[in-house]
Amino acid sequence: MAAKVISPIKPRVSQYGVDPKYVTKRISDYPEMTSVKLKELFADTPDVIYPSEKGIAAIRENVIKALEKVDMSMIKPGDSVNILASHHGFTLLGGEPYAEVLKTVREVIAERTGATDIRLRAGVGLRFRETEEYIKAFGLDVAFNGKAKGVAPIDKGIPIETEIGTLYGIAAVYDADWIVHVHNSDVREVHFHRHVDRAVKPFGMSYARIETRSTYHQNLGPRGANFTARAIFASEFVQSKFAFATFMNMSPAGVVSIEADNDLLALNEKITADGLRYYGKIMTLLGEIDECIAGLDFPAPVPYVFAAGVIFANFVGANVDLFDLDNPLPPYTWYTEAFYDKSGKPLIENVPPVNPAIKMVVHNYAWGGYPSAFFAHQIPTVVVGREQADLMDRDPQNLDYMKYAVIARDLDSAMAYAYKVAKTDKVIIFDGAAGGLNCSESLAEYLKAKAPEVSRRVDQELLPKWLRQRGIDPNIFKK
Amino acid sequence: MRVVNMLAQVDYDKCIGCQTCAKVCPVLAIKMENKKPVINAEMCRGCAACEQRCPQYAIKMVKREEPFTVYVDPSTVDAEKIEELCKKARLHPEQIICYCTATRAEEVAAAILKGAKSPEEISLQTGVRTGCKVECIEPILRLLEAAGINPEKPDGYQWYGRTPTVWEIPESVKEKYSSRGFYFEEDIKLLDKVLAANSSRKEDK
């Protein structure tokens, strides 16, 4: 008998997705679907503080504890402080934990320093209103006494002199005496940053202007790109304002801990190593899948929908070890996408194809607001409902998405079509299920059978290599 | 190539005349008149930058009754000149530089060779920078620089300036960070390989 499925994340009211009333059925509703917990796959999956019986109180308690060792003496009562946030944190576990981290950091700063002018500056990806939606949804405007705002990369900029030349930040991010960096450690778009300098990345992205983001995605290279973030963070300007950082340390099963430090680079080393350790096994395991239908069913743009803490864009590249820096190009980044010529062939040899295990995508619920035509172009895609198709057709970033996808009237007909054409009963659902993943029973059995060998390979071969490539001493886990 | 199927529309009851919309429009389609924005419907490329940044939520995007396409056909420009310009900017002519519209470097080069002298004019003619509005400014500035054009910065936040490329990173920086996972030299080799690749147009001949 099938185990009860983990509840998927509910559809969210947003200008970037269809009205939740159109999401009438979830892929996990089908009787052939089940759940597989991370602990069932890998016994060494770390225990988490959230989700847990303590609920959101565990987050608050751990933030307070982590901040005890942080020096805040540089912040004086009359000083202004910008707490810097990024939109991605709100897509983890429904968003409440990250919102709680932000609220608690604010309260602790106010209590310990006497500062009252504490603001929230929440950066975005390519959906410029997204954090405004989260600020309202999680009451951050109230928690910050009205001093909470979303900032976007086309807002007024500020030049920042760095070791490699001038880069540009968003002026509103740096318009306070002090900045406090509050982020999370999930591996996210490892296909882009290759999990190098993970903790520093938002300085080249969420807190940066278009010129800097364009540098990252167009001017450096697939393995050097994240240096833009390091260059900005290391600049005299940013160092003169940086107070401390607080991180929600993630694993695919949930929040493992809250980490805080005045030294971001020390924190960076731990966050980077933990990311490799916590996500390495599930990423490698997903790469073992031989054939499947991928179901998108999560309130985020196509590449950012989740299964087992891993985003769809990384599953698209799971046929290659994305952590292994010896692989020059992943199957998907904008560098990779750029290197296909007009006839659809790669300009150079050794451009890895997108994950050939994905036979079809059923787009039951996913947002626009991120250029996603590459996915529909590369993988047969069926979109559920005219409303979602219209949404993409109106989205300036996705005018070509429906050029390559077909529309099904409802989820039932989409699934029937997918089973018939893809000729597999293995289904993986990217629906944000926490602590595991929702999938077909056939895929669950397959994953359980493959997990032990993957676990051995990561522990003995891959993890030491990944750490070595990033200059991290493998003994870091013994500290 | 970009299909233009949306148009920005201002609700003047909500508008407070703050000028934000005019300052972020990538094609300068919004002018302030009597302290209120006026949208040039012919120029608007439907990118929604104004709608996304208006602090009063006074702008909405509406469907155009007659959508149209903007495109500069590279085949109408000397192929060698396109190649020369792209290579000088260290971009392969067929390399995509705008992921929202799948615009290739050669189209932007063609627009420049046909007389476009600024990122705004290039966006107007090709549609680049009117999708996500974020990712393609640097290749445009690199191509303009390669053509010897130093565009005048508009009175807004449209863009600030060209930033470094991997070929310009100082040796001391490469050395300092080489053991930390930044594979600069290896990426230069990869990007140089792309630059040296034959184009499908040549193979077709």
Side-chain angles (χ1 to χ4, degrees), chain A residues 279-295:
Chain A
Y279 288 88
K281 289 185 181 178
I282 191 69
M283 292 273 286
T284 307
L285 180 63
L286 294 184
E288 289 287 316
I289 295 174
D290 57 347
E291 57 176 26
C292 69
I293 294 163

Side-chain angles (χ1 to χ4, degrees), chain A residues 15-41:
Chain A
Q15 65 174 285
Y16 305 106
V18 294
D19 189 316
K21 74 181 180 192
Y22 293 116
V23 190
T24 53
K25 190 169 187 175
R26 311 300 297 271
I27 304 176
S28 60
D29 289 341
Y30 287 97
E32 67 268 32
M33 302 305 168
T34 186
S35 297
V36 57
K37 300 275 178 64
L38 266 302
K39 286 257 186 194
E40 288 178 78
L41 296 169

Side-chain angles (χ1 to χ4, degrees), chain A residues 168 209-215, chain B residues 137-138 158-161 163:
Chain A
Y168 298 89
R209 273 271 313 178
I210 61 171
E211 295 79 4
T212 298
R213 293 195 183 196
S214 191
T215 308
Chain B
I137 185 65
E138 287 305 315
Q158 283 79 7
W159 54 274
Y160 287 90
T163 55

